[in-house]
Amino acid sequence: MKVTLSHVPRIAQRIAIELNKSGLVTMTRGLDPVAHEAEKILEESVKKEHALEERVNEMLAENEDNIEDMLADERQLFFMIKKKLAPEYGVILSYEERYSDLSHKILDELYEEDLINYEVTENRIKNVIYNAITGYIASNDEIDDAVMEKIRSYKRRIIPGTEEFDIIHEKLYNEELQKRGLA
């Protein structure tokens, strides 16, 4: 799943909570500063990917006539260009590698800012952060599936991409978060 800016605060909060629950770290200033630092790093990563995708879309728009003339698959071109430009933007495309890299960056920042102390290996702490990120993503996918199932059960068809769909999806998503104790 692709992480969006709306997910970042929730993921950051989950990282702080999971670190606190792990018993492996001592938080020097509480949960909020830990979540804040994690949020900054996650937000930067999301913004880098967004900038990369904007550039790819610009390139596709600039070459729209050539793409049409060659009958090229625009979606495939998008991913090929994104892959080519990713290193230039500092974006790791493999989600597993990206989340591992982010976990390490978050750990480094928390330590540098003296927000956590620990006496175990860095790898154990990094794994707690990594598992918090991937755990959020897994639960988010489950929540989104439940929300989509509810929307599909409506008597009248709600069309994805419409304002009505977005409003209903957001409402049901927040209800599902509350029901699961995640909001």
Side-chain angles (χ1 to χ4, degrees), residues 56-57 59-61 63-64 67-68 71-81:
V56 172
N57 284 324
M59 292 175 76
L60 289 172
N63 294 290
E64 187 174 0
I67 293 168
E68 286 178 14
L71 301 173
D73 181 352
E74 197 167 332
R75 184 175 166 166
Q76 190 174 12
L77 282 173
F78 178 90
F79 289 109
M80 289 170 56
I81 296 168

